[in-house]
Amino acid sequence: MKPLLETLFWLGIFLVGYTYIGYGIVVWLLVKIRKALGISQPQMNDPDYLPEVTLVVPAYNEQAYMEAKLQNSLALDYPADCLQLLFVTEGSTDGTTEWLEAQRSKYPNLAIIGGSERRGKIEAMNMAMPQVATPLVIFTDANTTLNPQAIRNLVRHFKDPQVGAVAGEKRIEVQSSEAAAGAGEGLYWKYESFLKKLDTELYSVVGAAGELFAVRTSLYGHVEKDTLLDDFVISLRIAGHGYRVIYEPEAYAIERPSFSIADEQKRKVRIAAGGFQAISRLKYLLNIFRHGWLTFQYVSHRAMRWAVAPFCLPLIFLLNIPLAVLPKSGWLPDSAYQLILMAQTCFYAAALAGNTLENRKIRVKLLFVPYYFSFMNWCAILGYIRYRKGTTSGIWEKVRRAE
């Protein structure tokens, strides 16, 4: 019995370790080896390449952000005659549409699509695309601020005909007194940015951040209206057609973290449910003989993070208990398994302490990592439950953001 338990235990540790640390090491080594062999991915970005683009902003009841978003969009460092602004305010009831309509006479490159029915973000994007006449389209959220050079830095990569999409960077504006979820999310996105740089150098990014990404208009395909992760599905389908998705860290969208842990959990559960939905719809990407590097990156960086690691963690803890108490000899001394169990217990105790303190508005930075790591994986399990129940819809409740 103990050898079987040990096999499952160490297999679980390997899968979790590979998902969160091992893949980064492997892809870093692969990039180094390919550079040494002279087979690095071509870099054809051209800063003087300035095609016409349309900036699409889905905006449901975003009146509080409208003035800042419009001014930020107009202030972007890009030729005004090459930039079209398209706001899709589908179903807004807070005056968003009316406020934008009042601005239209001032800005000839501003267009608005309204409507009386809320259909969800992805349907807003689908509604926008027939109105896009430019070769490139950039999607961004209404509650984000773009850096002045964002568009220039995104479009320069499209000089390469093999580039089908470019993913910008998501940055979380976290203050020193911010909630643990916000601080943890900031650390998470810094690590994600590191992995995306490596993914780009190896072959392609596996998924764009919906806060800011650009695609060739001709490659955009109608997306199912119940899609939860529009950015992920759009970019992966483009990659699945043989185009690369590039990561551009110098084009970034800044947003505030979620207002509370409850708001962040709502967002994370929806993302996880969307991840399982995407895995189901992108099954063809699992064919490594057809998609090669893309399959390797997709499985290692995304699919395992949603569908493998979260379920291995509780299994590892439960398997550790009999391994620590069974008297039969195993691969390691019983004392070693007892130490591992103690370490796991301390880690999850720190996560629980972080949760308790956060609910009392007491922030301890030392607890950010165990708390956010456990929180993120718990949300993935809840997301799977939500997906299996079939409670997925492209229309989702907005998450409150910190002021």
Side-chain angles (χ1 to χ4, degrees):
M1 176 63 73
K2 197 163 186 176
L4 175 60
L5 295 178
E6 284 183 307
T7 301
L8 294 174
F9 176 78
W10 288 110
L11 176 62
I13 288 180
F14 169 78
L15 292 173
V16 172
Y18 175 77
T19 300
Y20 287 104
I21 301 175
Y23 173 67
I25 296 173
V26 170
V27 75
W28 181 81
L29 289 173
L30 288 171
V31 167
K32 291 293 185 182
I33 292 171
R34 286 167 64 84
K35 283 184 177 179
L37 296 175
I39 53 175
S40 301
Q41 292 293 343
Q43 298 294 323
M44 296 178 61
N45 63 77
D46 182 356
D48 297 321
Y49 182 60
L50 302 172
E52 293 185 341
V53 301
T54 299
L55 186 69
V56 174
V57 185
Y60 170 73
N61 282 355
E62 299 284 9
Q63 174 62 46
Y65 297 100
M66 274 302 94
E67 183 174 1
K69 185 63 178 181
L70 180 58
Q71 293 306 315
N72 175 240
S73 301
L74 292 167
L76 292 171
D77 179 21
Y78 203 76
D81 59 340
C82 294
L83 175 61
Q84 300 297 316
L85 304 179
L86 179 56
F87 284 72
V88 188
T89 62
E90 45 90 35
S92 289
T93 57
D94 67 342
T96 297
T97 306
E98 292 77 8
W99 187 87
L100 284 170
E101 289 286 358
Q103 311 306 310
R104 181 181 288 183
S105 61
K106 305 177 188 177
Y107 309 108
N109 62 338
L110 172 62
I112 304 156
I113 298 177
S116 58
E117 179 184 355
R118 186 189 183 194
R119 301 180 180 179
K121 181 182 178 181
I122 187 57
E123 280 292 82
M125 296 165 69
N126 286 333
M127 290 167 58
M129 290 309 295
Q131 309 299 319
V132 175
T134 58
L136 301 178
V137 58
I138 300 173
F139 297 102
T140 182
D141 286 348
N143 62 347
T144 62
T145 300
L146 308 185
N147 64 306
Q149 291 77 37
I151 295 182
R152 285 180 178 268
N153 292 336
L154 287 173
V155 304
R156 63 185 181 178
H157 296 283
F158 287 100
K159 188 68 176 289
D160 183 348
Q162 288 303 307
V163 172
V166 180
E169 178 174 299
K170 173 182 176 179
R171 296 187 181 180
I172 304 298
E173 184 183 3
V174 180
Q175 300 174 0
S176 58
S177 61
E178 211 68 79
E185 188 181 3
L187 291 172
Y188 170 79
W189 278 106
K190 287 179 182 179
Y191 181 58
E192 271 297 292
S193 296
F194 169 73
L195 291 181
K196 286 181 178 181
K197 290 176 185 177
L198 293 175
D199 280 340
T200 295
E201 293 187 65
L202 180 63
Y203 176 63
S204 175
V205 173
V206 282
E211 287 76 10
L212 179 62
F213 72 106
V215 304
R216 292 189 187 275
T217 305
S218 60
L219 297 180
Y220 182 94
H222 187 88
V223 184
E224 299 87 338
K225 66 180 182 180
D226 64 338
T227 301
L228 294 176
L229 296 185
D230 49 86
D231 46 4
F232 184 79
V233 171
I234 292 169
S235 56
L236 261 292
R237 283 177 173 169
I238 289 174
H241 282 99
Y243 294 88
R244 295 177 64 213
V245 180
I246 300 297
Y247 171 61
E248 176 49 77
E250 295 307 315
Y252 54 86
I254 302 173
E255 73 174 9
R256 296 287 286 129
S258 300
F259 177 78
S260 67
I261 294 300
D263 286 286
E264 180 64 6
Q265 178 170 318
K266 184 191 307 179
R267 191 179 74 87
K268 284 291 186 186
V269 171
R270 178 178 57 81
I271 290 174
F276 288 103
Q277 181 191 62
I279 289 172
S280 175
R281 293 180 177 176
L282 300 172
K283 288 191 290 288
Y284 58 89
L285 292 182
L286 299 177
N287 185 348
I288 196 169
F289 299 103
R290 180 178 178 182
H291 297 287
W293 285 118
L294 179 62
T295 297
F296 165 69
Q297 293 178 294
Y298 168 61
V299 172
S300 299
H301 193 169
R302 293 301 179 192
M304 289 185 66
R305 191 172 293 188
W306 284 320
V308 177
F311 300 93
C312 284
L313 289 169
L315 182 63
I316 292 169
F317 185 83
L318 293 175
L319 287 171
N320 200 169
I321 296 173
L323 289 175
V325 298
L326 287 176
K328 295 181 181 179
S329 61
W331 299 352
L332 295 178
D334 293 344
S335 58
Y337 287 112
Q338 291 165 4
L339 287 174
I340 295 173
L341 180 60
M342 185 180 300
Q344 285 201 82
T345 302
C346 290
F347 183 87
Y348 292 120
L352 288 172
N355 179 67
T356 300
L357 292 175
E358 173 60 28
N359 289 331
R360 296 178 180 177
K361 305 301 181 182
I362 301 173
R363 283 86 191 225
V364 180
K365 289 186 177 181
L366 185 64
L367 303 177
F368 284 172
V369 172
Y371 172 68
Y372 193 74
F373 179 82
S374 302
F375 171 75
M376 182 173 61
N377 283 282
W378 173 240
C379 288
I381 294 174
L382 294 178
Y384 174 73
I385 295 172
R386 173 179 168 178
Y387 169 71
R388 293 297 298 174
K389 287 182 176 179
T391 54
T392 57
S393 170
I395 302 175
W396 38 272
E397 185 180 350
K398 291 172 59 178
V399 172
R400 296 177 299 167
R401 294 288 174 180
E403 297 296 332

